[in-house]
Amino acid sequence: DAVDGAAVAWDFHVWSDDANAGSTVDLTLTQAERLFKAWNPRTALKVVVFEENGNRHDLQRALGHATTLNAIRRHGDFVIADCAANCLQPWKQNDSGWDQGQIFFTPDRVWGMPPFEAQRVLSEDHLPLRIDAKAEGGLDVLACRSEDGKTVVLTVVNLADRPTKTSISLGAFRARTVRARTLYGNPTATNSLTQPELVSPRRLQVNLRRGEVVLSLPAYSLTSLRLTR
């Protein structure tokens, strides 16, 4: 009653340390939307996630951010923004808790951790309009398209401990080119001063077969496929 009509959005703080954090975030947002509508069926109140927190900066956290963002985007315009913490962290500091830096630095070096690399891939392949996508076999899939309908991006998270051979049907969309980039490795892997690109985007081989995309998704991976017709 205090905020309805006076506030634009309700700020949620969530955790994305778990690789499948998106499933919990989805339940939270579903409950929030149900409660908002129960309190006032005509409410315009929405949600922002101003703190997507964690205590780690490894590949597992990167996958957690990806599943969280997939869940958030499935809720469409109900969620205005998602802000993943944290940005800067000095090397060998803050590593006994609240250890969630995305960009690490020393006096003369700077490099990104796996969550930063995930942010980079997802940002570069961002498209504004979500379209329907259904997945089998435990994959977390989000599909979006450009406003002109010429480009489709699929964000696919494979949380299995083994590679998953995948076939993607695109319906009436006929892709002429496809670019696939993936982050994968040991879930506890991080980038370091001596190995700043241990976990970084790699090109993935993809085959186009009569309107289908066929590929093998690495274990513990985030894959972004950009298809253009």
Side-chain angles (χ1 to χ4, degrees), residues 90-91 104-111 193:
W91 180 237
F104 274 56
F105 64 92
T106 66
D108 62 349
R109 298 284 299 277
V110 61
W111 67 97
L193 185 62

Side-chain angles (χ1 to χ4, degrees), residues 11-27:
D11 177 21
F12 277 81
H13 294 189
V14 302
W15 291 85
S16 57
D17 273 342
D18 187 273
N20 196 28
S23 60
T24 301
V25 172
D26 178 63
L27 292 174

Side-chain angles (χ1 to χ4, degrees), residues 99-121:
D99 192 17
Q100 58 177 346
Q102 294 198 36
I103 299 174
F104 274 56
F105 64 92
T106 66
D108 62 349
R109 298 284 299 277
V110 61
W111 67 97
M113 285 294 176
F116 166 81
E117 298 294 352
Q119 287 261 43
R120 184 157 64 100
V121 169

Side-chain angles (χ1 to χ4, degrees), residues 43-141:
T43 184
L45 189 65
K46 297 184 183 296
V47 163
V48 292
V49 179
F50 278 157
E51 286 191 29
E52 182 193 315
N53 289 311
N55 286 309
R56 56 200 301 160
H57 51 260
D58 52 15
L59 178 62
Q60 180 172 305
R61 173 77 190 286
L63 298 178
H65 173 62
T67 59
T68 293
L69 198 56
N70 276 0
I72 285 173
R73 297 189 71 190
R74 289 189 188 101
H75 285 268
D77 294 336
F78 178 62
V79 185
I80 298 173
D82 169 58
C83 304
N86 198 358
C87 184
L88 299 176
Q89 184 169 328
W91 180 237
K92 300 292 187 180
Q93 308 263 346
N94 289 28
D95 55 2
S96 58
W98 211 244
D99 192 17
Q100 58 177 346
Q102 294 198 36
I103 299 174
F104 274 56
F105 64 92
T106 66
D108 62 349
R109 298 284 299 277
V110 61
W111 67 97
M113 285 294 176
F116 166 81
E117 298 294 352
Q119 287 261 43
R120 184 157 64 100
V121 169
L122 295 172
S123 175
E124 290 173 353
D125 281 344
H126 173 77
L127 291 178
L129 303 176
R130 187 176 71 86
I131 56 179
D132 187 45
K134 298 178 182 178
E136 298 178 355
L139 298 174
D140 185 343
V141 180

